[in-house]
């Protein structure tokens, strides 16, 4: 059974359609990268998976559960209570562009806050788990530091540790390197590569072509709120079938450093 099932999802902002009948599945342990120009709907789709954005039509299931909705006795979808959605969302990690760390908390406190408050994990257990996770992302020595004392790459790795602390079945990444200076991108991507190798299910919105090419099991191209191509990376990058994919890759790869443009 797919871990994520997205069926004919539509989303509008006011009178503007943003998602137009998107359907796709994500299998357990799969890494799926979403590509597309700005405004293509990829970030909106990501946020709909954990109900940070509502949907207007269609259905999204994670681990065979509707997230944010329940069916009434007539079979129609209705939004469920916030506490129920929050409980489901707790098992879906989210890593944002801008880190979203709590500035007034230390690194350790940022990682332990949600497990203690949401999962009711004891302080000792949460701290031990947090230190293990910080070691996993190479930041155990920064446990007592505050976010402003870290580089952007370090803050993003703390954000990844924070997501992992909730023991998620799935992690969503929304352009996790876009706010970083170029020299800091590699350390975050390496952390993500390790997660992928350990079998974490990941849906990643990214413009990092080398990551998508080397790590993704599938790459999905979106344009104007629709999935226009869904293929293994070796196929999509070497022989894209849709004109929008071809144009996007030509534009992105021509602007990339030389190492990004090397044939694979």
């Amino acid at each position: 059974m797919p871990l994520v099932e997205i069926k004919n999802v539509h989303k509008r902002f006011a009178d503007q359609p943003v998602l137009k009948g998107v359907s796709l599945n994500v299998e357990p342990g799969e890494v799926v990268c979403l590509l597309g120009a700005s405004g293509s709907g990829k970030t909106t789709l990501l946020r709909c998976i954990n109900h940070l954005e509502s949907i207007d039509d269609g259905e999204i299931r994670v681990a065979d559960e509707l997230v944010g909705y329940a069916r009434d006795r007539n079979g129609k979808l209705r939004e469920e209570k916030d506490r129920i959605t929050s409980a489901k969302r707790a098992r879906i990690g989210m890593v944002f562009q801008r880190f979203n760390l709590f500035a007034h908390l230390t690194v350790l406190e940022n990682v332990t806050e949600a497990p203690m408050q949401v999962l009711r994990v004891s302080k000792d257990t949460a701290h031990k788990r947090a230190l293990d996770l910080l070691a996993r992302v190479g930041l155990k020595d920064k446990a007592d530091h505050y976010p402003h004392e870290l580089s952007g790459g370090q803050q993003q790795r703390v954000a990844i540790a924070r997501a992992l602390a909730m023991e998620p079945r799935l992690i969503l990444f929304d352009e996790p390197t876009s706010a970083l200076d170029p020299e800091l991108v590699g350390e975050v991507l390496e952390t993500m590569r390790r997660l992928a190798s350990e079998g974490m299910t990941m849906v990643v919105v990214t413009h990092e072509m080398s990551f998508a090419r080397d790590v993704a099991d599938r790459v999905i191209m979106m344009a104007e709120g629709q999935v226009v191509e869904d293929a293994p990376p070796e196929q999509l990058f070497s022989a894209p079938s849709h004109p929008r994919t071809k144009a996007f890759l030509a534009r992105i790869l021509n602007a990339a450093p030389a190492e990004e443009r090397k044939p694979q």
Side-chain angles (χ1 to χ4, degrees), residues 96-219:
F96 299 88
Q97 296 179 34
R98 293 286 177 178
F99 325 135
N100 285 14
L101 300 178
F102 295 112
H104 65 290
L105 299 181
T106 66
V107 165
L108 183 64
E109 290 167 340
N110 265 281
V111 179
T112 59
E113 180 75 4
M116 291 168 58
Q117 297 298 323
V118 178
L119 302 182
R120 302 302 180 188
V121 173
S122 70
K123 183 175 180 179
D124 288 346
T125 299
H127 278 214
K128 182 180 185 303
R129 170 78 170 150
L131 290 172
D132 289 344
L133 290 171
L134 289 171
R136 190 170 163 187
V137 300
L139 291 173
K140 189 174 182 178
D141 61 327
K142 303 294 185 182
D144 295 326
H145 289 234
Y146 286 87
H148 73 271
E149 299 176 304
L150 306 181
S151 70
Q154 289 171 331
Q155 289 185 60
Q156 194 61 294
R157 284 187 283 155
V158 172
I160 292 172
R162 181 179 61 182
L164 290 170
M166 297 296 287
E167 300 185 0
R169 50 171 65 103
L170 163 72
I171 300 185
L172 310 174
F173 292 85
D174 183 14
E175 298 196 30
T177 61
S178 65
L180 301 178
D181 292 332
E183 64 270 18
L184 302 177
V185 168
E187 64 189 63
V188 174
L189 293 180
E190 181 55 35
T191 299
M192 294 171 65
R193 288 173 192 269
R194 286 200 301 271
L195 287 180
S197 70
E198 293 165 4
M200 175 59 69
T201 308
M202 300 159 59
V203 181
V204 185
V205 172
T206 186
H207 285 297
E208 299 292 341
M209 296 298 104
S210 61
F211 178 87
R213 186 170 50 212
D214 298 342
V215 180
D217 296 293
R218 284 164 47 225
V219 180

Side-chain angles (χ1 to χ4, degrees), residues 221 223 226-230 236 239-249:
M221 177 69 191
Q226 297 177 309
V227 172
V228 298
E229 192 157 357
D230 180 346
L236 187 136
S241 63
H242 197 280
R244 298 297 290 267
T245 311
K246 294 176 183 178
F248 176 81
L249 292 178

